[in-house]
Amino acid sequence: MITIKKASKSFDDHGALNEIDLEISSGDSIGLAGASGSGKSTLLRCIQGLEVLDSGTISCAGRTGFMFQDFQLFPHMTVGENVMYAPKRRKTPLAHLEIKANELLHHLGIAQFKDRYPASLSGGQKQRVALARTLISNPDILLCDEPTSGLDIATTGDVISLLKSIQNRKTTIVIASHDLDFLAQITHRIILLKNGTIVSDIEPRKLSNPVEYLRKLYE
Ligand code: ADP
Ligand code: MG
């Protein structure tokens, strides 16, 4: 469960989030939609604690994991080293970690890249590495910022199947994306943000054309 109460955040004099109230149930998959600059990334970053609210509160039941829009993989580390970096620092036993990393890389279809460096991978492959790196810490809540940006249609399809396989693990997922079609396919609920305010909160499966419905509210 994520409970957000009257969350506000400004940069200089510009309100990025204005008194956001939102409850997200455990195990749910939520999309944060909205035009560029509407506050999607800021809300995700505040949930993760990467930004501090000016006022209001956010409480999360469980551990969060954050997947960055630009992956933020370490260029000087191999895929395997990238994936194992955070738990290694927390002194997780190495043998246990290797098994888990191999399992994840296999599940995400990137086992063959374990000893390669990020620069030699495509965008979709880097996306999988970023996902593996986040999932190895067993987050209860997965926060993804624009997971399909820069990916072609086929790779976006792969990301959809990957996220669906995580939904089966009962992880709560919050995805920020400007891509309504993608969100309508993958999430149970879509929150539309406009200038830092929630302007719509829908369950796409209950509407005949959720994308059309939200697109009209975009303007
Ligand atoms: P989105 O992810 O929906 O595109 P953001 O959350 O990135 O939107 O941004 C919301 C607003 O806050 C925008 O007007 C953006 O310019 C501003 N903003 C976000 N981060 C910063 C920052 N670190 N410094 C200054 N302004 C920022
Ligand atoms: Mg953003």
Side-chain angles (χ1 to χ4, degrees), residues 1-215:
M1 168 94 95
I2 306 173
T3 306
I4 302 174
K5 284 188 183 154
K6 294 209 177 307
S8 295
K9 172 78 184 172
S10 294
F11 295 102
D12 305 317
D13 274 343
H14 177 79
L17 297 176
N18 304 307
E19 303 212 331
I20 298 284
D21 281 310
L22 184 60
E23 279 217 352
I24 297 172
S25 314
S26 294
D28 209 353
S29 296
I30 301 284
L32 295 178
S36 176
S38 57
K40 307 180 294 295
S41 296
T42 303
L43 184 54
L44 273 192
R45 293 172 65 81
C46 286
I47 295 173
Q48 176 69 10
L50 295 168
E51 300 276 3
V52 180
L53 292 174
D54 297 333
S55 59
T57 57
I58 297 180
S59 69
C60 295
R63 204 171 16 199
T64 56
F66 196 97
M67 203 162 77
F68 292 93
Q69 179 167 6
D70 54 359
F71 315 129
Q72 302 211 359
L73 299 173
F74 296 114
H76 60 290
M77 290 184 196
T78 64
V79 165
E81 286 163 351
N82 263 285
V83 170
M84 292 187 286
Y85 177 73
K88 213 171 187 172
R89 285 194 55 197
R90 288 197 303 269
K91 311 241 185 300
T92 308
L94 214 52
H96 173 76
L97 201 54
E98 287 270 358
I99 293 171
K100 209 166 151 193
N102 287 340
E103 240 173 52
L104 260 177
L105 292 174
H106 186 77
H107 175 71
L108 298 178
I110 46 172
Q112 69 274 35
F113 303 136
K114 193 176 174 194
D115 297 321
R116 285 191 20 193
Y117 288 89
S120 74
L121 303 177
S122 72
Q125 291 160 350
K126 283 185 207 162
Q127 182 67 276
R128 285 159 191 255
V129 178
L131 192 56
R133 191 179 58 174
T134 307
L135 290 179
I136 199 159
S137 301
N138 281 331
D140 304 291
I141 300 166
L142 177 64
L143 307 166
C144 306
D145 199 1
E146 302 280 357
T148 61
S149 76
L151 302 184
D152 58 27
I153 292 173
T155 318
T156 298
D158 289 348
V159 174
I160 290 175
S161 5
L162 286 177
L163 289 173
K164 283 196 168 146
S165 72
I166 296 157
Q167 286 172 334
N168 297 335
R169 294 170 170 226
K170 302 281 171 223
T171 308
T172 306
I173 307 180
V174 187
I175 306 170
S177 176
H178 65 280
D179 185 343
L180 291 175
D181 288 294
F182 166 68
L183 290 180
Q185 283 186 65
I186 193 88
T187 63
H188 304 135
R189 183 177 168 203
I190 301 179
I191 310 293
L192 180 65
L193 290 171
K194 205 168 187 175
N195 300 321
T197 303
I198 295 177
V199 292
S200 189
D201 182 347
I202 63 152
E203 292 180 52
R205 269 148 232 192
K206 290 193 177 161
L207 298 177
S208 60
N209 194 339
V211 173
E212 181 79 358
Y213 177 87
L214 290 173
R215 205 161 270 153

